[in-house]
C-alpha cells in the first residue's frame, strides 16, 4: 500500500503555467524546491517560516481540498497517512484513536494496522503553497504601505481634481489593508485629512475624506479637531446629499465623535442632521443604511434638547409606522429610540397620539427578544400612565392583559415581571373583576 494516493491540486501557483498538478508531478517538476527534509523553503536565503503562523495570518477562504484534514476541515500542519491511504492531521487522528475507534474516519474501514506514517510529500507541498501565498501577501502589504505614505505626501501638495484622484485611491487602499491604515496614521495623514474639511470643501473631496477617516482609529486630539462646528456642519450637509455609502460613513464618523467626553450637545442639535437621519432610516431602497441611522439616533437621544427636536419633526409616528417592516437588530434600536423619547412629555404625547403605538407595542411583547419586550413594556407604561382610561382600554382590547400574564409567568428578568404586574394593575382599574378576567384569556394573544 503506498504511503499516499496522489490527489489533485487545482491551480497550484508553483506550477508556473497554472496546470493541474498531483503530488508526484509536483515533486518531479521541482515545484517544491528540490527535495530535502520535511520543510522546504521557498527560494534560497529565505528564513524558514512557521507553517502555523502562516495559516493563521493568511486566513484564506479557498485552500486546495487535499490540504484539508477530513476530521477538522482545517489545513493540515502535520499530515499523517493510515494504512487505508487516507491522510489526516496527526493530532486529530490520535484523538480519534483515543476515543476507542479502530476505523478510518473517512472510509469507516477497520484498520489492519494502527500505525501512522508522516506524509512528508504532502507536508512539503502544503508548506510551499502557504509560503508562496504568505510571501506574496507580505510583499503586497509592504507595497500598499509605501503607496499609502506616497498618497499622504501627495495630498499635501496637490489641489483640484488631482486631490480628488489621490483621495479616491487612498480611500480604496485603506478600506482593504490594515497596514495602509497604520501607515496613514504614522505619517500624520489624519491631520492632513482633517485640514481638508471646512466650510468651502466640495462634496467630492468631503465624501472621500470622511470615507477614509471612518476607516481609521482616531485619537482624542483628532476627534477634537473634527468637532469644530464648521466640520460637523459639512458632515451633516454631506449626510443629506451623499450616496448611501457616504451617508453611512457620515453617521459612523459623527457617532464616534459623540463618544468623546468633551463632546458638546449643541454641535448636533441640528434640524438638518435629524432630518437626514430620518431619511436614511426610511430609505427602503437602501436597507443597509437603516441600522447605522438608528444607531446614531439612539446615541443622540442621550441629550434632552435633541429629543425635543426629534419629536418636533414627527419622528415618533414615522418610527412607529416603520417598526413592522424592520429586522430584529434594527427593531431593537428603533424601540430603544422610542423608549428614550417617551422619557420626555412631548414624546409621550406623540406616542399617545399615534394610533398604532399601543397595538404594535402589545404585539412585540414576548415575541422578539427580552430586550424588545423591555422597551415595548416601558413605552406602554409611559403611554398608559399619561392617559389611563383611554389608553388602557385600547391596550386591553389589543390583548395586553394576556401578554402581561405571559411575561409574569415566564423566566425573564424579575424587573420586567414587576413592571408587567404594575401595568396589569393600572389597566384593571377601569374594569370590574369579571370583565377584566375575561380580557385575560389567551385566545387572541395566541392568534
Amino acid at each position: 500500500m503506498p504511503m499516499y494516493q496522489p490527489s489533485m491540486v487545482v491551480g497550484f501557483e508553483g506550477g508556473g503555467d497554472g496546470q493541474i498538478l498531483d503530488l508526484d508531478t509536483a515533486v518531479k517538476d521541482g515545484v517544491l524546491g528540490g527535495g530535502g527534509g520535511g520543510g522546504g523553503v521557498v527560494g534560497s536565503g529565505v528564513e524558514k517560516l512557521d507553517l502555523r503562523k502562516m495559516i493563521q495570518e493568511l486566513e484564506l477562504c479557498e485552500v486546495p481540498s487535499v490540504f484539508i484534514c477530513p476530521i477538522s476541515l482545517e489545513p493540515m500542519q502535520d499530515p499523517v497517512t493510515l494504512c487505508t491511504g487516507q491522510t489526516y492531521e496527526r493530532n486529530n487522528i490520535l484523538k480519534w484513536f483515543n476515543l476507542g475507534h479502530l476505523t478510518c474516519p473517512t472510509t469507516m474501514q477497520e484498520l489492519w494496522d494502527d500505525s501512522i506514517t508522516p506524509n512528508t510529500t504532502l507536508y512539503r507541498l502544503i508548506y510551499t503553497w502557504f509560503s508562496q501565498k504568505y510571501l506574496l501577501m507580505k510583499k503586497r502589504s509592504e507595497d500598499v504601505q509605501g503607496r499609502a505614505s506616497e498618497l499622504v505626501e501627495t495630498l499635501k501638495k496637490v489641489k483640484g481634481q488631482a486631490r480628488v484622484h489621490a483621495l479616491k485611491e487612498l480611500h480604496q487602499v485603506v478600506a482593504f489593508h490594515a497596514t495602509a491604515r497604520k501607515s496613514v496614521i504614522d505619517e500624520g495623514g489624519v491631520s492632513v485629512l482633517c485640514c481638508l474639511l471646512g466650510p468651502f470643501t466640495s462634496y467630492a473631496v468631503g465624501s472621500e475624506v470622511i470615507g477614509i477617516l471612518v476607516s481609521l482609529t482616531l485619537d482624542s486630539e483628532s476627534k477634537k479637531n473634527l468637532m469644530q462646528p464648521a466640520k460637523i456642519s459639512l458632515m451633516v450637509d454631506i449626510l443629506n446629499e451623499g450616496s448611501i455609502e457616504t451617508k453611512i460613513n457620515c453617521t459612523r464618523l459623527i457617532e464616534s465623535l459623540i463618544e468623546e467626553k468633551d463632546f458638546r450637545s449643541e454641535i448636533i442639535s441640528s434640524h438638518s442632521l435629524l432630518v437626514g437621519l430620518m431619511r436614511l432610516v426610511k430609505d427602503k431602497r437602501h436597507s443597509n443604511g437603516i441600522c447605522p441611522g438608528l444607531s446614531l439616533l439612539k446615541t443622540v437621544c442621550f441629550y434632552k434638547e435633541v429629543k425635543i427636536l426629534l419629536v418636533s419633526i414627527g419622528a415618533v409616528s414615522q418610527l412607529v409606522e416603520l417598526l413592522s417592516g424592520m429586522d430584529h437588530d434594527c427593531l431593537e434600536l428603533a424601540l430603544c429610540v422610542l423608549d428614550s423619547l417617551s422619557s420626555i412629555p412631548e414624546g409621550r404625547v406623540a406616542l399617545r397620539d399615534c394610533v398604532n403605538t399601543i397595538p404594535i407595542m402589545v404585539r412585540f411583547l414576548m415575541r422578539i427578544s427580552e430586550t424588545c419586550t423591555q422597551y415595548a413594556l416601558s413605552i406602554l407604561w409611559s403611554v398608559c400612565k399619561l392617559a389611563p382610561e383611554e389608553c388602557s382600554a385600547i391596550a386591553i382590547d389589543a390583548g395586553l392583559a394576556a401578554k402581561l400574564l405571559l411575561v409574569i409567568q415566564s423566566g425573564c428578568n424579575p424587573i420586567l415581571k414587576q413592571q408587567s404586574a404594575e401595568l396589569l394593575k393600572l389597566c384593571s382599574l377601569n374594569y370590574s373583576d369579571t370583565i377584566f378576567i375575561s380580557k385575560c384569556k389567551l385566545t387572541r394573544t395566541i392568534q
Side-chain angles (χ1 to χ4, degrees), residues 33-266:
V41 256
V42 183
S44 58
V46 179
E47 183 180 353
K48 189 177 188 301
L49 301 169
D50 180 73
L51 181 56
R52 182 185 300 274
K53 177 184 177 183
M54 290 190 291
I55 292 174
Q56 289 175 347
E57 291 191 18
L58 281 168
E59 296 181 349
L60 296 173
C61 296
E62 296 184 5
V63 175
S65 59
V66 72
F67 298 168
I68 302 297
C69 174
I71 298 175
S72 66
L73 301 181
E74 297 289 337
M76 291 181 281
Q77 300 172 36
D78 187 6
V80 294
T81 303
L82 304 184
C83 60
T84 59
Q86 301 296 323
T87 301
Y88 304 92
E89 174 66 25
R90 182 187 294 272
N91 288 338
N92 295 335
I93 194 61
L94 289 179
K95 287 178 184 177
W96 174 262
F97 290 159
N98 288 338
L99 291 173
H101 300 295
L102 295 176
T103 56
C104 173
T106 300
T107 65
M108 296 310 294
Q109 289 178 270
E110 288 191 15
L111 299 176
W112 58 90
D113 182 355
D114 63 359
S115 62
I116 56 176
T117 306
N119 194 327
T120 54
T121 301
L122 181 58
Y123 171 82
R124 289 163 59 199
L125 188 57
I126 293 171
Y127 185 90
T128 301
W129 191 85
F130 275 100
S131 295
Q132 290 177 338
K133 296 283 186 183
Y134 186 78
L135 293 175
L136 182 60
M137 179 197 75
K138 286 295 184 183
K139 183 179 184 304
R140 286 175 177 169
S141 177
E142 291 171 1
D143 292 344
V144 163
Q145 197 169 357
R147 183 56 183 156
S149 298
E150 290 176 6
L151 289 169
V152 170
E153 289 302 313
T154 300
L155 288 173
K156 296 176 182 178
K157 306 169 187 175
V158 298
K159 294 182 180 180
Q161 202 60 34
R163 175 181 288 173
V164 175
H165 287 318
L167 286 169
K168 283 182 179 293
E169 185 178 350
L170 186 59
H171 189 177
Q172 289 291 322
V173 170
V174 300
F176 296 105
H177 301 282
T179 52
R181 295 192 284 273
K182 182 178 183 303
S183 180
V184 170
I185 294 171
D186 292 345
E187 297 294 329
V190 175
S191 61
V192 174
L193 292 166
C194 289
C195 289
L196 297 179
L197 295 178
F200 304 108
T201 302
S202 67
Y203 168 77
V205 170
S207 60
E208 297 298 338
V209 170
I210 290 169
I212 296 168
L213 288 173
V214 82
S215 300
L216 306 177
T217 303
L218 304 176
D219 58 24
S220 294
E221 192 62 35
S222 300
K223 290 182 179 180
K224 192 177 297 184
N225 188 352
L226 289 168
M227 285 180 205
Q228 297 174 29
K231 297 184 189 298
I232 295 290
S233 179
L234 174 68
M235 293 179 206
V236 172
D237 289 342
I238 293 176
L239 169 64
N240 277 283
E241 62 186 46
S243 65
I244 184 62
E245 180 187 0
T246 300
K247 289 179 179 180
I248 292 172
N249 289 336
C250 287
T251 60
R252 288 177 173 161
L253 184 56
I254 293 172
E255 188 168 6
S256 72
L257 300 180
I258 296 175
E259 295 168 356
E260 281 297 297
K261 61 180 180 180
D262 295 330
F263 188 82
R264 303 184 307 279
S265 61
E266 60 268 21

Side-chain angles (χ1 to χ4, degrees), residues 6-27 29 31 66 125:
S7 301
M8 307 303 283
V9 184
V10 181
F12 180 68
E13 291 184 358
D17 56 1
Q19 61 186 359
I20 297 177
L21 301 174
D22 59 43
L23 295 182
D24 292 335
T25 305
V27 175
D29 291 351
V31 170
V66 72
L125 188 57

